[in-house]
Amino acid sequence: MANRRQSRTNRILSGLEGRSIVFLGMMGCGKSAIGKMVARKLGLEFVDADSEIELAAGRSVPEIFAEYGEEEFRRLEEKVIERVLSEKQVLLALGGGAFMAQTTRMMISKYGLSVWLKADLELLLDRVSRRPNKRPLLKKGNPREILMNFLKVRNPIYAQAELHIESKSGTKSEMRDIVMNALIEHLKAS
Ligand code: S3P
């Protein structure tokens, strides 16, 4: 079993050829939670883009939005992602809006394998409602309507990701295994 697991890991790492793995998708789809677990399995460093932005700014994401506004947040987000990806191979979890920036998509196609964790509205709503103060964009109105709008605008852009994986409501380790298998299949085919 250990050997088999080892070879799954090796197959993914050699298929990546040094590229990073980049998780993208809507807030609440599980990018960070699942990303951490997949990174651990692969022995890759896990980086959360929002946490890196917070470190760089010395403020939390809600504080950055409140003090400087969304535009400044997006500027920081692009810079941080560019730095992380050009530095080393990692598993990077993006914030929900990051893939909307064309420069970020270009960076990712140069340095990474983009993985879209797709989730439906009800699952997202359930997840984001557990931490109501974490996401300033959901404070601007009715979270269901805001998420519905984001899904409409963002899904066609998220769809440019190389690999699409359905994010399900099962356990995190089930999702981790689904992602590991999807990575193996995808890298085998490409
Ligand atoms: C955002 C998602 C958040 C964070 C910020 C903006 C978005 O990250 O980057 O609040 O535009 O969807 P998560 O997707 O990790 O919640």
Side-chain angles (χ1 to χ4, degrees):
M1 191 66 179
N3 276 344
R4 205 170 146 240
R5 245 188 254 133
Q6 181 62 27
S7 78
R8 273 156 47 99
T9 296
N10 282 345
R11 267 148 66 195
I12 293 172
L13 289 176
S14 68
L16 284 170
E17 295 175 329
R19 286 186 300 164
S20 291
I21 298 176
V22 182
F23 277 15
L24 61 107
M26 285 286 287
M27 34 183 127
C29 72
K31 298 173 298 262
S32 301
I34 313 302
K36 265 181 213 155
M37 296 181 81
V38 173
R40 198 173 310 134
K41 273 263 172 247
L42 294 175
L44 284 178
E45 183 183 336
F46 173 76
V47 179
D48 180 83
D50 282 345
S51 307
E52 287 296 306
I53 296 165
E54 291 180 329
L55 263 179
R59 286 164 173 72
S60 68
V61 170
E63 284 167 353
I64 301 170
F65 270 77
E67 285 179 44
Y68 305 117
E70 181 173 354
E71 213 175 301
E72 177 61 12
F73 173 80
R74 297 299 174 200
R75 203 186 58 78
L76 278 171
E77 187 172 49
E78 276 189 43
K79 266 179 57 181
V80 160
I81 292 167
E82 179 166 4
R83 174 177 54 74
V84 170
L85 287 176
S86 57
E87 259 171 21
K88 57 190 162 189
Q89 184 184 30
V90 294
L91 192 154
L92 173 65
L94 301 181
F99 200 66
M100 300 304 287
Q102 198 188 3
T103 44
T104 296
R105 294 198 297 278
M106 281 163 60
M107 283 300 290
I108 295 169
S109 64
K110 182 167 175 196
Y111 291 109
L113 163 63
S114 49
V115 179
W116 175 20
L117 293 188
K118 262 174 108 164
D120 67 26
L121 178 64
E122 300 309 322
L123 182 63
L124 296 172
L125 264 173
D126 178 48
R127 298 249 185 85
V128 298
S129 66
R130 293 179 205 166
R131 296 183 67 186
N133 295 321
K134 191 184 165 207
R135 296 170 173 105
L137 290 175
L138 296 182
K139 294 264 176 194
K140 292 184 170 183
N142 177 311
R144 174 181 288 272
E145 279 168 22
I146 294 172
L147 284 178
M148 272 168 61
N149 260 328
F150 278 157
L151 282 169
K152 216 187 308 160
V153 174
R154 292 178 174 182
N155 277 357
I157 306 290
Y158 290 159
Q160 294 178 24
E162 239 182 273
L163 177 57
H164 301 182
I165 302 176
E166 211 73 48
S167 179
K168 305 223 174 74
S169 56
T171 66
K172 287 182 198 160
S173 25
E174 278 164 3
M175 258 322 285
R176 176 203 58 207
D177 292 342
I178 289 173
V179 170
M180 292 286 287
N181 288 334
L183 284 169
I184 288 180
E185 285 309 309
H186 176 74
L187 291 165
K188 193 163 67 183
S190 58

